[in-house]
Amino acid sequence: MKRLKLALGALLVSTVVNATNHALVIGCCGEYKSLEGKNLSGTSRDAWAMADIFEQDCKKKNIKVLIESDATKKSIKKELKRLKNILGRGDKLYFYFSGHGARAGDKKVFLQGITDDKDLNSRLNKTALVTYDFDVKNTYNTAIISADDLRPVFQEMDRNGVEIIMFTDACFAGTAYKRGYVDETMKLFESVDAIKPKQSVNDNRLYDNLISFSASLTTLQARETKDSNGEKRGEFTLYLEYCLKNADSNGDKRISKDELHQCMINEFPSFA
């Protein structure tokens, strides 16, 4: 395989001496702790394949892989906190997730155990990544919630000049780095006493140093498929893996954001 430099996060003008690159790779799950009938057998394969890809731009010791029973909400948040504390200006973080995703309109995830209107407002207009320890009796507190778990960490990293490249192979994941989908939220509110959400001013602030590629919009589902060996894989990840090996259209041994974007459009036109 050609050794290509992943230059997706080259958003800063200056070069930072001694900058380091890290990757957090999550695959969940071939067997969930208590989510019966929802297992995804290809997520671990997706995770290890992407970890191999990230070795092109990260030292192996800087790649953390969380799969199956290790992919809990606690462990993911712990790792994000560790990375937030050690990464600085010019450093790069690759964040990859393969697994189930959910949105605010999914009442089983977001609307169980509501105590009051304020609690309701805090939950809506968000997306979530479903972890190994997802508990149907404690849904909101056992998934990685976009606005509550990811966004504050990414915002702080962004302010510190850390470059973040995010890949999400999950349903409804289009804005998992941010919030959720307003239209779906408003539809849901129509059935919950027509309460309108309180928008946060900071929710719409754009990142300076974050690039996100996802398998689906916040209104669409992602898909599984089979690879050339007949093994289950995330369809988005298969195309992503191909493009991260072949998107160097100008032959400079670096892959830019635009080159990856164009390759994904060409190879994965229905969903890119």
Side-chain angles (χ1 to χ4, degrees):
M1 182 182 79
K2 295 184 294 182
R3 299 297 291 180
L4 299 178
K5 183 73 171 180
L6 304 184
L8 300 175
L11 305 177
L12 301 178
V13 175
S14 59
T15 300
V16 180
V17 179
N18 297 325
T20 59
N21 301 333
H22 289 251
L24 176 55
V25 184
I26 304 159
C28 186
C29 286
E31 185 174 346
Y32 282 88
K33 183 177 181 180
S34 59
L35 197 61
E36 296 181 3
K38 299 293 184 180
N39 295 333
L40 296 170
S41 59
T43 54
S44 294
R45 297 186 193 97
D46 289 343
W48 287 118
M50 291 303 295
D52 288 342
I53 291 287
F54 294 144
E55 280 193 49
Q56 297 179 50
D57 204 29
C58 304
K59 293 181 179 179
K60 193 168 185 176
K61 67 178 183 179
N62 291 339
I63 301 173
K64 182 70 172 181
V65 179
L66 297 174
I67 61 171
E68 302 305 328
S69 60
D70 289 330
T72 63
K73 176 165 184 168
K74 182 178 180 180
S75 61
I76 294 169
K77 291 191 70 174
K78 180 180 178 180
E79 187 62 21
L80 285 171
K81 182 179 180 180
R82 183 187 73 85
L83 290 166
K84 180 191 70 175
N85 291 335
I86 66 172
L87 297 181
R89 181 164 298 278
D91 292 339
K92 187 186 299 180
L93 171 64
Y94 292 100
F95 178 92
Y96 172 83
F97 179 90
S98 177
H100 281 304
R103 55 181 172 176
D106 187 342
K107 297 180 182 180
K108 291 182 180 179
V109 176
F110 285 87
L111 298 184
Q112 286 190 359
I114 288 178
T115 57
D116 51 37
D117 292 348
K118 182 179 179 181
D119 192 20
L120 174 65
N121 277 318
S122 73
R123 297 188 184 196
L124 294 174
N125 197 18
K126 297 175 182 179
T127 57
L129 306 178
V130 181
T131 60
Y132 166 77
D133 54 332
F134 180 78
D135 182 358
V136 294
K137 295 181 180 179
N138 189 23
T139 53
Y140 189 71
N141 296 312
T142 54
I144 294 293
I145 309 298
S146 56
D148 297 346
D149 299 316
L150 295 181
R151 187 164 172 76
V153 176
F154 288 165
Q155 277 187 315
E156 185 169 340
M157 287 186 183
D158 184 54
R159 286 192 294 267
N160 292 335
V162 179
E163 301 176 8
I164 304 166
I165 301 93
M166 183 176 184
F167 303 107
T168 317
D169 194 346
C171 295
F172 317 121
T175 53
Y177 62 94
K178 188 179 178 183
R179 291 190 301 163
Y181 186 58
V182 174
D183 287 351
E184 287 298 321
T185 299
M186 296 312 295
K187 288 178 184 177
L188 181 58
F189 272 118
E190 291 173 4
S191 63
V192 190
D193 300 328
I195 304 169
K196 293 185 178 180
K198 298 176 182 178
Q199 299 293 347
S200 170
V201 174
N202 292 326
D203 274 348
N204 293 314
R205 191 186 76 80
L206 295 177
Y207 291 94
D208 295 318
N209 304 293
L210 183 145
I211 299 169
S212 175
F213 286 80
S214 61
S216 59
L217 299 174
T218 47
T219 55
L220 297 175
Q221 293 180 318
R223 304 190 301 195
E224 275 196 317
T225 188
K226 291 184 179 180
D227 62 16
S228 57
N229 297 318
E231 301 282 3
K232 281 285 188 71
R233 293 287 303 277
E235 187 174 24
F236 168 79
T237 300
L238 276 179
Y239 287 109
L240 180 62
E241 186 180 356
Y242 171 83
C243 284
L244 287 174
K245 294 176 181 178
N246 297 281
D248 179 26
S249 58
N250 62 7
D252 66 353
K253 296 185 179 181
R254 295 170 64 88
I255 297 175
S256 71
K257 169 178 65 68
D258 291 339
E259 285 176 325
L260 179 58
H261 186 196
Q262 191 57 54
C263 181
M264 291 297 288
I265 288 174
N266 292 342
E267 300 298 326
F268 197 35
S270 298
F271 288 84

